[in-house]
Amino acid sequence: MDHDPQFQKSRRGFLGGLGATAAGLSLAQAGAARAQAKPDPAITEIQDWNRYLGDGVAANPYGKPSKFEKGVVRRDVEWLTASRESSVNFTPLHALDGIITPNGLCFERHHGGSPEIDPSKHRLMINGLVDKPLVFTMDDLKRFPGRVNKVFFLECAANGGMEWKGAQLNGCQFTHGMVHNVMYTGLPLKVLLDEAGVKTNGKWVMPEGADSSAMTRSIPIEKAMQDCLVVWGMNGEALRQEQGYPLRIVVPGWEGNMWVKWLRRLEVGDQPWHHREETSKYTDLLADGRSRRFTWIMDAKSVVTSPSPQAPLKHKGPNVLSGLAWSGRGTIRRVDVTIDGGKNWQTARIDGPVLPMSLTRFYVDFNWDGREMLIQSRAMDDTGYVQPTKDELRKVRGLNSIYHNNGIQTWLVRSNGETENVEIS
Ligand code: MTE
Ligand code: CO
């Protein structure tokens, strides 16, 4: 955008806004001009942090964010919380940047609470239709050849489910925050299955959790062999307890429910098990009362994270619009953004790594004159799939669905900068 004449103009406006008298001043000169105009105690007074020694190195053996960032936390929604053990909280997407979700901010979804597992007592069993049933300790897994590192998003199928019938929750943390994006360390599931030797009639794999919900799902053998992982690391350190310490399965691009945490067993079978989580739950109920049998893949989706209800616009003039896009079918190719409710679209600037089945960051540097805006983003992946509107989804799926809502989100930015979750048709 730097060579865009529109932007050059707005950059001069930016300096003007800081109190500079002539266009083309450096930021430092502009700052000096502001200091002359009105004494700013942040400049004229020596602050305590400049005067006294800081904290010693041992003060914080495991580092924490600055206390001034204390609002950047996972949050829950009271009416969605039946009990603390069977619950969900949400990633604060509006306050994050880049593509990696910090470990302490990854949303949590537990069906039977988060168990504290002693890794020395944890085992992974592989049984069923295999030549050689196996049991691994954590140490066995960590010295098994073939370790890999891969970045993937995990999105709960229920992300945005509350919005199916219309705009509900005021903040992208709540409308879109059942997603996180992590670099995992572990082993391809294939190397473990090959070690056990899958029999020719072994067509499905069932991961089972060691938590009190004993979560189970059916994964087709092709997917298990293609790109699933068994992982113990996230973002360079051990999995957090909430994310399945000491072991979880990663099912790239597929609904989060299949990513069984606290993984203790993999059973190989000849057909799907049709357990609770793949029949009564995580199933899409259509308008005519029939259900889709399985909906595994998370289709392309995007959201503008800033501005958004929790990150309103504070300044006229230059602003940076930012957002996230992802697709369970592959790589994000393009994201288009509108600020006038869909009359005009422009292609956003994608920045940072663009990886398959990973969150992808986009920006639009824009100039805000204080006008009301209707902001939307629309993702396109490398299969050519284009993110649909919510009305397009409802036409196909009716109003009974909860899961797999990847419709286009609209934010209304008012002239005072306040931002609201709305829907336009
Ligand atoms: N695995 C076990 N063992 N128990 C669970 O309750 N919840 C599932 C899945 N794996 C769950 C589980 C659901 S519905 C989702 S969306 C993801 O874990 C959430 O993963 P996270 O807590 O790391 O965000
Ligand atoms: Co889920």
XYZ file of all heavy atoms in Angstrom, residues 204-238:
262
model
N -10.770 -47.590 9.839
C -11.086 -46.455 10.709
C -10.197 -46.485 11.948
O -9.787 -47.559 12.386
C -12.565 -46.510 11.147
C -13.515 -46.313 9.999
C -13.893 -47.253 9.082
C -14.173 -45.094 9.644
N -14.759 -46.691 8.167
C -14.956 -45.362 8.487
C -14.188 -43.795 10.170
C -15.740 -44.387 7.869
C -14.971 -42.830 9.563
C -15.735 -43.123 8.417
N -9.938 -45.284 12.491
C -9.152 -45.183 13.727
C -9.975 -44.416 14.749
O -10.567 -43.375 14.423
C -7.816 -44.441 13.476
C -7.042 -44.285 14.775
C -6.982 -45.184 12.449
N -10.034 -44.946 15.983
C -10.782 -44.275 17.038
C -9.833 -43.820 18.155
O -9.351 -44.635 18.927
C -11.832 -45.213 17.635
C -12.664 -44.520 18.696
S -13.735 -45.679 19.576
C -12.548 -46.528 20.582
N -9.555 -42.492 18.224
C -8.779 -41.999 19.359
C -9.683 -41.910 20.591
O -10.868 -41.582 20.467
C -8.348 -40.600 18.904
C -9.348 -40.187 17.879
C -9.937 -41.426 17.285
N -9.117 -42.195 21.764
C -9.895 -42.139 23.005
C -9.134 -41.304 24.037
O -7.921 -41.452 24.187
C -10.103 -43.553 23.552
C -10.911 -43.597 24.840
C -10.872 -44.982 25.488
O -9.790 -45.375 25.985
O -11.908 -45.669 25.487
N -9.853 -40.442 24.745
C -9.248 -39.568 25.759
C -9.226 -40.234 27.131
O -10.065 -41.078 27.440
N -8.256 -39.797 27.961
C -8.126 -40.346 29.318
C -8.890 -39.510 30.335
O -8.802 -39.756 31.537
C -6.653 -40.407 29.703
N -9.666 -38.505 29.867
C -10.433 -37.656 30.795
C -11.733 -38.368 31.172
O -12.041 -39.442 30.646
C -10.733 -36.297 30.141
C -11.452 -36.419 28.800
O -11.246 -37.422 28.093
O -12.219 -35.509 28.448
N -12.518 -37.749 32.047
C -13.734 -38.412 32.524
C -14.798 -38.500 31.427
O -15.710 -39.315 31.514
C -14.295 -37.681 33.743
O -14.822 -36.438 33.354
N -14.673 -37.686 30.363
C -15.636 -37.806 29.259
C -15.229 -38.930 28.309
O -16.023 -39.345 27.465
C -15.760 -36.489 28.483
O -14.724 -36.349 27.545
N -13.970 -39.414 28.436
C -13.450 -40.483 27.575
C -13.857 -40.267 26.114
O -14.388 -41.150 25.457
C -13.923 -41.862 28.064
N -13.591 -39.055 25.650
C -13.980 -38.652 24.291
C -13.495 -39.630 23.228
O -12.343 -40.052 23.249
C -13.364 -37.272 24.043
C -13.580 -36.700 22.682
S -15.192 -35.957 22.484
C -15.182 -34.716 23.745
N -14.391 -40.002 22.316
C -14.011 -40.867 21.199
C -14.611 -40.331 19.905
O -15.713 -39.774 19.905
C -14.535 -42.315 21.391
O -15.917 -42.252 21.768
C -13.751 -43.070 22.440
N -13.885 -40.501 18.806
C -14.386 -40.157 17.476
C -13.863 -41.176 16.464
O -12.876 -41.862 16.721
C -13.894 -38.757 17.054
C -14.590 -37.595 17.730
C -16.055 -37.429 17.327
N -16.270 -37.256 15.904
C -16.631 -36.120 15.330
N -16.793 -35.020 16.045
N -16.847 -36.057 14.021
N -14.509 -41.239 15.301
C -14.088 -42.153 14.232
C -13.394 -41.354 13.133
O -13.988 -40.428 12.578
C -15.314 -42.849 13.628
O -16.069 -43.477 14.634
N -12.151 -41.722 12.838
C -11.383 -41.033 11.789
C -11.087 -42.043 10.676
O -10.558 -43.123 10.948
C -10.045 -40.487 12.352
C -10.306 -39.518 13.516
C -9.217 -39.824 11.260
C -9.039 -39.050 14.221
N -11.426 -41.708 9.409
C -11.112 -42.634 8.314
C -9.601 -42.858 8.200
O -8.823 -41.929 8.410
C -11.656 -41.941 7.059
C -12.203 -40.628 7.487
C -12.088 -40.475 8.959
N -9.213 -44.063 7.853
C -7.785 -44.429 7.844
C -6.988 -43.555 6.867
O -5.825 -43.222 7.125
C -7.595 -45.938 7.532
C -6.177 -46.389 7.881
C -7.896 -46.267 6.082
C -5.912 -46.627 9.315
N -7.631 -43.119 5.763
C -6.899 -42.292 4.785
C -6.438 -40.994 5.458
O -5.300 -40.560 5.267
C -7.780 -41.929 3.577
C -8.238 -43.099 2.721
C -9.375 -43.919 3.335
O -10.061 -43.384 4.245
O -9.558 -45.087 2.936
N -7.341 -40.367 6.225
C -6.975 -39.123 6.913
C -5.913 -39.407 7.972
O -4.934 -38.665 8.104
C -8.222 -38.503 7.553
C -7.978 -37.225 8.329
C -7.570 -36.058 7.448
C -7.427 -34.765 8.233
N -6.906 -33.671 7.381
N -6.090 -40.493 8.714
C -5.130 -40.845 9.773
C -3.728 -40.996 9.192
O -2.734 -40.559 9.780
C -5.564 -42.130 10.451
N -3.629 -41.600 8.018
C -2.331 -41.858 7.382
C -1.789 -40.619 6.679
O -0.589 -40.468 6.488
C -2.465 -42.993 6.357
C -2.729 -44.350 6.977
S -1.286 -44.833 7.969
C -1.591 -46.587 8.187
N -2.689 -39.732 6.273
C -2.274 -38.594 5.445
C -1.550 -37.514 6.246
O -0.419 -37.152 5.930
C -3.514 -38.008 4.779
C -3.224 -36.944 3.743
C -4.514 -36.291 3.275
O -5.543 -36.951 3.133
N -4.468 -34.994 3.046
N -2.200 -36.969 7.288
C -1.557 -35.822 7.956
C -1.853 -35.699 9.446
O -1.480 -34.692 10.056
C -1.923 -34.519 7.221
C -3.435 -34.261 7.164
O -4.197 -35.045 7.756
O -3.832 -33.268 6.517
N -2.519 -36.695 10.069
C -2.774 -36.581 11.517
C -1.459 -36.735 12.295
O -0.533 -37.407 11.836
C -3.764 -37.648 11.981
S -5.436 -37.331 11.378
N -1.423 -36.095 13.448
C -0.238 -36.156 14.305
C -0.638 -36.591 15.705
O -1.774 -36.365 16.129
C 0.425 -34.766 14.423
C 0.801 -34.002 13.158
C 1.321 -32.601 13.537
C 1.856 -34.759 12.360
N 0.320 -37.182 16.416
C 0.186 -37.427 17.853
C 1.217 -36.512 18.502
O 2.413 -36.660 18.225
C 0.441 -38.912 18.179
C 0.550 -39.122 19.675
C -0.677 -39.772 17.585
N 0.770 -35.525 19.303
C 1.688 -34.446 19.715
C 1.785 -34.307 21.226
O 0.818 -34.563 21.948
C 1.264 -33.084 19.106
C 1.202 -33.167 17.588
C -0.057 -32.575 19.677
N 2.970 -33.878 21.669
C 3.184 -33.546 23.079
C 3.638 -32.100 23.269
O 3.734 -31.628 24.384
C 4.212 -34.506 23.701
C 5.513 -34.525 22.936
C 6.552 -33.643 23.067
C 5.910 -35.457 21.915
N 7.558 -33.973 22.181
C 7.210 -35.082 21.478
C 5.307 -36.573 21.338
C 7.889 -35.785 20.476
C 6.003 -37.270 20.350
C 7.282 -36.871 19.929
N 3.924 -31.396 22.135
C 4.432 -30.033 22.247
C 3.545 -29.024 21.553
O 2.911 -29.350 20.538
N 3.457 -27.814 22.120
C 2.762 -26.705 21.458
C 3.596 -25.431 21.613
O 4.056 -25.108 22.710
C 1.339 -26.509 21.999
C 1.192 -26.080 23.426
S -0.526 -26.172 24.070
C -1.341 -24.803 23.244
N 3.839 -24.773 20.487
C 4.625 -23.537 20.484
C 5.937 -23.686 21.251
O 6.326 -22.811 22.030
C 3.792 -22.361 21.023
C 2.648 -22.016 20.085
O 2.738 -22.250 18.874
N 1.570 -21.472 20.624
N 6.582 -24.828 21.076
C 7.929 -25.005 21.610
C 8.012 -25.566 23.013
O 9.108 -25.881 23.490
N 6.907 -25.676 23.728
C 6.940 -26.252 25.074
C 5.901 -27.360 25.167
O 5.201 -27.643 24.192
C 6.697 -25.165 26.134
C 5.350 -24.488 26.022
C 5.107 -23.404 27.077
O 5.973 -23.167 27.940
O 4.026 -22.802 27.036
N 5.828 -27.988 26.341
C 4.867 -29.077 26.509
C 3.446 -28.557 26.310
O 3.157 -27.380 26.556
C 5.005 -29.666 27.912
